[in-house]
Amino acid sequence: STKEKIALLHGAHRVGKRTDATMEKWRGYGLGQFIHWGLYAIPGGAWNGKQYNGAAEWIRSWDGIPKSTYDSLNYSFNPTAFDAKAWAKTAKQMGARYVTFTTKHHDGFCLWPSKYTKYTVKNSPYKKDIVKAVVDAYDQEGIDVILYFSVMDWNHPDWRYDIKTKEDSIAFERFKKFTRNQLIELLTNYPTVKGLWFDGTWDKSWVKQAAFADELETEMRRLRPGLIIGSRFRADENGKRHFDSNGVLMGDYEQGWERKIPSKIEDVHGNDWDCVMTVPENQWGYNAAWNGHLKTGTELIEMTARCVSLGGNFVLNFGPKGDGAIRQEEIKLAEEIGDWMKVNQEAIYNCEYAGFDKQDWGYFTRKTGTDKVYMVVFNVPLSGALRIKTPSKTAIKKAYMLADAEESFVPEEISADEYFLHLKKSTNSKPFVIVLETLKAT
Ligand code: JFZ
């Protein structure tokens, strides 16, 4: 465009996608797991017998919950059923290729023994380093780890929502040092982690720290070359978040797709992105009384395919119980997704936007950089005819079922660059994948 660029000191550091191997690997993950676990898992959405409808991990902030009583939950934190290896096995079984784990949520409780606050696992009956257990267990399964970190910290006396007085500013300077120390500590303690997933960065106090946050980001990247940081970490000097004042993405991928998925490729502006999703409408931490619509395995598989078809990753959230065990409903979903992934993962891993027009039966994905296109079919039309519109001068050489290459199709050309694939039988009860080997005329 001809729009003039505003000179920025703390805007984006790069225009366009990263091209290094670490980021290319991230781009190919396809499916990830999110884990929200912390003190909020103990009340599990209820306080003194009263169920709260909001997100369970926010319970400390609801009216009528005494903050000091909540903050004392660390004295009852003794998760006897916590088994990081079992979590990692569940993730592996589901087909997740990365995990994002809450080291510290808004309540400020640290699941690692941070030197910079007393409010950690170390001062709970459990005592042991949970972040280390999780990182080691997932590393062992070959699943990459990203650490979730909330800048907003309800427990820290120096946290401020805004800076209005001299006192606020002095306190927040201390808070900034504390935040830096904790982040450097995490990166130093857990050198195998691939990235940081920031949250709690929306308040005015933090939005005003463009210079500090920019320098801190640079420091972290210097410490861990290849580190992946999303767009939710810092604002530019005009207070613009995610995208700077010139509309350029800040960070390595767009982190704004929270419980929503883009509907067309234009929505993602050529950026990397991932979508984080809850099973109920909006519960991240454990809520014993999950209510409302609970997404089914098929819905979650469809979301995965939709994300990959638009060049993103899909990340499904798990909220383990206060004792550390993953709830049965989540285990079942992980199994259902995993069973599907075992047969169809080729259409999900290392795939990208295919460049084909979207059709009503489902989603196209493409094995990155190749001529292999996948049709992930969710809605079979009554006619049994699946429409394909190819980009111009693209021929379909072969079409066959991914689960059974013997079952092949002869595409019927119905007009220029437009075909029908006629399904032989529609006995499929699960979404299925058809492979297209294409050939582009040069
Ligand atoms: C935040 C947290 O407050 C929440 O508890 C959970 O951890 C989630 C993953 O992140 O919630 C958000 C953050 C950003 C948006 C919405 C909810 N957003 O950008 O629309």
Side-chain angles (χ1 to χ4, degrees), residues 235-405:
D236 76 2
E237 58 261 53
N238 302 315
K240 285 271 201 245
R241 303 180 62 235
H242 297 281
F243 295 90
D244 71 14
S245 302
N246 291 314
V248 182
L249 184 75
M250 288 184 284
D252 301 320
Y253 65 98
E254 196 192 340
Q255 233 183 320
W257 298 102
E258 201 251 27
R259 293 181 296 119
K260 53 182 196 273
I261 301 176
S263 35
K264 52 186 190 310
I265 196 70
E266 290 76 19
D267 295 346
V268 305
H269 307 287
N271 291 311
D272 282 312
W273 60 278
D274 71 2
C275 162
V276 294
M277 187 61 71
T278 48
V279 175
E281 191 190 348
N282 182 26
Q283 296 289 339
W284 299 90
Y286 176 67
N287 191 324
W290 261 3
N291 53 27
H293 173 66
L294 302 178
K295 293 175 192 78
T296 63
T298 304
E299 274 179 272
L300 297 167
I301 292 164
E302 174 159 2
M303 288 176 170
T304 306
R306 184 165 148 201
C307 287
V308 172
S309 78
L310 294 171
N313 293 321
F314 182 71
V315 183
L316 180 62
N317 182 68
F318 288 67
K321 296 185 275 188
D323 68 2
I326 296 179
R327 68 194 302 160
Q328 239 5 78
E329 298 98 317
E330 289 173 348
I331 297 276
K332 274 198 64 188
L333 287 171
E335 281 170 3
E336 203 180 327
I337 296 167
D339 287 347
W340 187 85
M341 287 292 285
K342 270 176 203 80
V343 181
N344 301 293
Q345 63 188 38
E346 199 186 309
I348 301 297
Y349 296 154
N350 304 315
C351 286
E352 61 182 357
Y353 169 65
F356 283 44
D357 285 357
K358 164 95 179 71
Q359 301 291 347
D360 292 338
W361 45 255
Y363 307 93
F364 286 109
T365 67
R366 174 191 296 277
K367 187 62 68 188
T368 301
T370 75
D371 293 325
K372 223 172 196 184
V373 170
Y374 303 93
M375 299 167 61
V376 192
V377 182
F378 289 88
N379 311 302
V380 175
L382 290 174
S383 65
L386 304 181
R387 188 181 296 272
I388 302 168
K389 191 167 175 345
T390 56
S392 80
K393 304 231 162 49
T394 302
I396 302 172
K397 279 196 309 177
K398 275 187 186 170
Y400 51 90
M401 294 289 284
L402 175 63
D404 177 11

Side-chain angles (χ1 to χ4, degrees), residues 34 36 55 57-58 102 105-106 148 152 197-200 202 232 241-242 255-260 276 278 282 284-285 317:
F34 210 145
H36 275 73
E57 74 282 1
W58 276 76
T102 51
H105 204 263
H106 308 332
Y148 166 108
M152 173 168 77
W197 203 98
F198 285 99
D199 200 7
W202 50 74
R232 214 186 264 184
R241 303 180 62 235
H242 297 281
Q255 233 183 320
W257 298 102
E258 201 251 27
R259 293 181 296 119
K260 53 182 196 273
V276 294
T278 48
N282 182 26
W284 299 90
N317 182 68

Side-chain angles (χ1 to χ4, degrees), residues 419-439:
Y419 303 85
F420 271 147
L421 282 194
H422 295 281
L423 295 174
K424 283 170 196 122
K425 48 184 192 289
S426 55
T427 50
N428 284 289
S429 60
K430 289 278 164 202
F432 58 93
V433 174
I434 296 171
V435 184
L436 301 180
E437 291 182 12
T438 68
L439 188 66

Side-chain angles (χ1 to χ4, degrees), residues 3 188 290:
K3 231 179 92 189
T188 309
W290 261 3

